[in-house]
Every structure is written in C-alpha cells, then in structure tokens.
Amino acid sequence: MAEIFASRRVRHTPFTQGVVAAGVKAYTVYNRMLLPTTFASIEEDYHHLKSAVQIWDVACERQVQVKGPDARRLIGLLTPRDLSMISESRCLYIPVTDQNGGMLNDPVLVQAAADTYWISIADSDLLMWVKAIAACNDFNVEVCEPDVSPLGIQGPKSDDLMAAVFGDGVRALRPFGCGRFDVQGREMLIARSGYSKQGGFEIYLEGSVHGMGLWHILMEAGKPFDVRAGCPNLIERIEGGLLSYGNDMTNENTVLECGLGKFVSAERLGECFGGRAMREELEAGSKQMIRAIEIGGGPVPVCDHAWPVMAGGRRVGQVTSAAWSPDFKTNVAIGMVDSHHWDAGTELKVETPDQVRRAAVVREEFWG
Ligand code: THG
C-alpha cells in the first residue's frame, strides 16, 4: 500500500515524531488522526508486548470535554452504566447509546476535575452528539475537544517503567484507578487502563508541546526494561476480547448485542438514551451477540470486511476481526452470531477470502 499523506484533516499527534523515529511501518486513521498499527511486524510486536513494555501513541483517543454545572447531568443521559463509581480517582468504561440502544461509541470516562469530564472516545464523531444534547437541553456546560492526548504504557513491565518515571505511588493504582503524578515538575493525570490485557497505564498529556519531552523521558527510563514504541496489537486485542468500534460493532448494533450487558444498569434505564429499547431487548432476549470464534486451518488473511458465518447453508452471523494467534496456535476471531448458534461449541463455517473454513463458538469469555 502507498503512504498516508498527513494534512490538517489527517492529523499527526504530539508523539508522531517519536513514532517515526522508532520506525513505524503502518498507520490507520482513527478520529481523523494517525494511529500506528505496526512497528516490527504484528507478530513481533505481539511477542514484545506480552513480555516487556511498550509506549503507545494513542493520542487518537480524543477527549470530548464536558465542563460546567450540568456536566454530570449530561453524561448521565449518554450511557446506561451506573455512574456512581466515577470520581477523580476512578475512571469507567461506558457504552454510549442512541435513542434505540444502538452503540454510538464505547469510551473511557474520566473525571478530570470536580466539574470536568473527559470522554476518551473510540472512532466515531461523538463530539457532535454531545454538543447537540447540550444545545437541545440548554445545559450549562461547555463541550469541546481539549488539547489532551493519551499515551499508553502497556505490557508486563509497565509498572517498573512508570515507577521509574513517576515514583512508586503509581504501583498502588487499582485497575481503572487514576491520580495525578509528577514528572520534572509537571503534573499529569494517569490511569491504570489501556487497550491491552497485558497490564498498563495511560497518561493524559495536557499540552501537545510537551509530547516529545514526555516521550523521550519514558524511552530513556525504559531502556533497562527493553522498552519499544508499540501500538494496539490486533492479535492481542482479539485474544483479550477488546472490541473495536467500527469493526466489531457499529451504530447498527445494540449495547446488549455487543456483549456489554454488564455495563447496563436496570435502575438507569429511565434516565438514558435508549433505555426503553434496552428494557425491551432484555425482556425479549437478544437476536444476536458478540462471540469469541475459533477459525480452523492455517493463518487467515487480513479481515478488512465482514466474513459471512454460515450454518446449515444459512448465514447466521459475521466475523469482523480475525488473526492467527502464535500463543494459542489457532485463528482467534470476534464475530456476531445469531442466538440459535451462539452456544459454546457450536460448529460453524466462515467464508474467509481464500476458502470456506470450519469454525466454532469458543466460549463466553475470550482467550487472553
Ligand atoms: N483508553 C482510553 N480511551 C480509549 C480506549 C482506551 N478510547 C477508545 C477505545 N480505547 C475505547 N474502547 C475500549 C474498549 C475496551 C476497554 C477500554 C476502551 C477496556 N475494557 C476492559 C475489558 O474489556 O476487559 C475492561 C472494562 C471494565 O471492566 O470496566 O478496558 O483503551 N483512554
């Protein structure tokens, strides 16, 4: 493939200079911003992520900032998740639903200050939805995209690297815990979170001009831990069952179909967009749901469109993410499967571009 030509629309990030110096091989575009996808190779990056520590330019996880006296009220409309746990020391993964219960985004919600929230978005234009809700309700809030860029530190040695830079205090953070920590006299919001199952942190860099300074500090401190530039890894995130908005789900899918029912609080359905639709689906049962699927044969080609899932000659679903897993020695995949075929062990066929392959619903949980 040819190169991506950056511009004001396809935005570079505060860390792009470091990513380029580290030898990035491929990017995707996410929230109209560059997101690296490959450094050495997807498989080499995978092994390194699972054994050492990587620094990820995930600035494309843009923030929708909601600030003001009505901020909490507005955010309550966006999601069916119980928000009582959100605080300045705890962030939350929240499905964001429209009036039909359809997924609009699946961000991480961060409380940056008493009256300020950051919605750390996946790849869809959530800013406009939030601005419209603010405008239509005459809420006393300001909605904008601030100059805040997450940097991921992921991998089993991420605690050691983070402690070397920010002090041992970071080790005490619980999953989704957050706090403010100092580096060279500058305070940064840090959370124990991120788009891998290998453990790690996210630093919310405030002020793009400080990006490369932070990058160099981490790269230098990480030398004893074999630090490398990395990025969300296709294989590892499928093993871990981390969903990719736009790939594994779209606005056509409900939050329940996405297997995110544990983030739907029955008590909140009267207060959020799509509550009635969700209640109806809970009563009637979902028609289809996300499943972990194992696909037979050798390594599958790149999954860049939905692959039909068949049973008894009928289409009963689709695979939307798939990759060969070196650790599990099978093709791991994420797909949406009809209710009659979603039980663990159900035999399926998947029409991959090169051949029709045997496949099976693996289990309710994913691999990693
Ligand atoms: N971090 C931040 N922003 C993000 C992402 C992130 N924005 C875009 C994208 N990732 C949003 N999607 C996800 C998907 C999954 C998770 C986080 C963001 C996630 N899920 C955990 C899991 O499935 O095991 C835990 C969910 C929970 O139990 O609360 O972490 O990565 N800042």
Side-chain angles (χ1 to χ4, degrees):
M1 259 211 285
E3 275 177 56
I4 288 184
F5 190 86
S7 72
R8 196 172 178 212
R9 290 185 305 96
V10 182
R11 303 173 285 181
H12 59 79
T13 88
F15 315 111
T16 299
Q17 211 186 307
V19 162
V20 170
V24 64
K25 291 228 176 77
Y27 293 107
T28 186
V29 175
Y30 194 99
N31 287 323
R32 288 165 277 113
M33 198 173 241
L34 295 174
L35 169 61
T37 62
T38 317
F39 283 87
S41 71
I42 290 192
E43 285 210 7
E44 260 186 76
D45 295 353
Y46 162 90
H47 291 301
H48 181 263
L49 169 62
K50 286 184 150 190
S51 59
V53 56
Q54 298 183 344
I55 300 179
W56 290 8
D57 175 1
V58 284
C60 64
E61 297 166 355
R62 302 313 295 161
Q63 311 304 301
V64 174
Q65 175 171 293
V66 186
K67 181 177 166 65
D70 292 329
R72 177 62 186 260
R73 209 143 63 92
L74 189 162
I75 288 172
L77 291 175
L78 300 179
T79 179
R81 183 155 187 191
D82 174 8
L83 296 175
S84 57
M85 293 302 287
I86 189 84
S87 74
E88 287 177 60
S89 51
R90 169 103 201 247
C91 53
L92 288 179
Y93 178 52
I94 57 163
V96 174
T97 46
D98 67 14
Q99 68 279 12
N100 304 312
M103 289 293 288
L104 286 170
N105 203 290
D106 68 327
V108 174
L109 176 64
V110 180
Q111 184 167 6
D115 69 342
T116 307
Y117 294 85
W118 290 341
I119 309 172
S120 184
I121 61 173
D123 187 22
S124 78
D125 290 326
L126 201 68
L127 182 64
M128 292 193 260
W129 174 255
V130 178
K131 274 181 182 278
I133 294 169
C136 293
N137 291 281
D138 208 14
F139 281 151
N140 186 0
V141 291
E142 186 194 280
V143 180
C144 69
E145 183 185 301
D147 182 8
V148 174
S149 298
L151 185 64
I153 313 298
Q154 299 286 313
K157 295 186 182 157
S158 53
D159 274 67
D160 294 335
L161 169 52
M162 289 296 282
V165 173
F166 293 95
D168 273 324
V170 291
R171 293 185 191 270
L173 286 176
R174 310 274 292 268
F176 284 83
C178 25
R180 291 188 176 266
F181 297 86
D182 259 45
V183 55
Q184 295 188 349
R186 181 170 302 283
E187 203 179 65
M188 297 193 182
L189 198 162
I190 293 173
R192 190 185 284 280
S193 60
Y195 201 62
S196 90
K197 291 279 192 174
Q198 304 310 307
F201 300 84
E202 289 175 303
I203 305 168
Y204 290 81
L205 174 78
E206 295 173 66
S208 296
V209 291
H210 306 297
M212 284 314 299
L214 176 61
W215 179 276
H216 289 309
I217 290 168
L218 288 161
M219 278 295 179
E220 192 57 36
K223 280 183 180 160
F225 313 114
D226 185 28
V227 71
R228 288 189 202 164
C231 51
N233 183 272
L234 177 70
I235 311 168
E236 196 272 346
R237 76 117 183 131
I238 297 174
E239 289 177 358
L242 294 171
L243 304 183
S244 167
Y245 189 81
N247 283 319
D248 304 315
M249 56 189 165
T250 70
N251 188 230
E252 301 294 304
N253 302 118
T254 69
V255 56
L256 298 169
E257 289 176 350
C258 295
L260 300 175
K262 65 179 166 184
F263 303 117
V264 175
S265 164
E267 295 79 61
R268 297 244 27 257
L269 295 183
E271 308 162 14
C272 66
F273 281 105
R276 179 202 294 227
M278 285 177 240
R279 190 174 288 128
E280 284 172 9
E281 186 177 338
L282 281 168
E283 283 165 11
S286 299
K287 293 193 173 70
Q288 54 176 359
M289 206 170 285
I290 289 274
R291 282 292 182 264
I293 295 170
E294 196 172 282
I295 304 177
V300 287
V302 176
C303 184
D304 58 3
H305 62 277
W307 294 343
V309 171
M310 312 293 290
R314 277 193 329 111
R315 183 174 171 138
V316 298
Q318 58 183 14
V319 159
T320 47
S321 296
W324 175 260
S325 162
D327 284 353
F328 294 96
K329 305 214 174 345
T330 184
N331 291 298
V332 294
I334 298 175
M336 191 71 80
V337 184
D338 290 356
S339 61
H340 301 293
H341 298 87
W342 71 27
D343 289 342
T346 306
E347 295 279 336
L348 303 165
K349 295 253 191 303
V350 176
E351 293 180 359
T352 64
D354 57 355
Q355 52 179 299
V356 178
R357 296 167 183 248
R358 297 183 62 164
V361 177
V362 174
R363 50 198 145 180
E364 309 248 335
E365 296 301 315
F366 283 76
W367 290 264

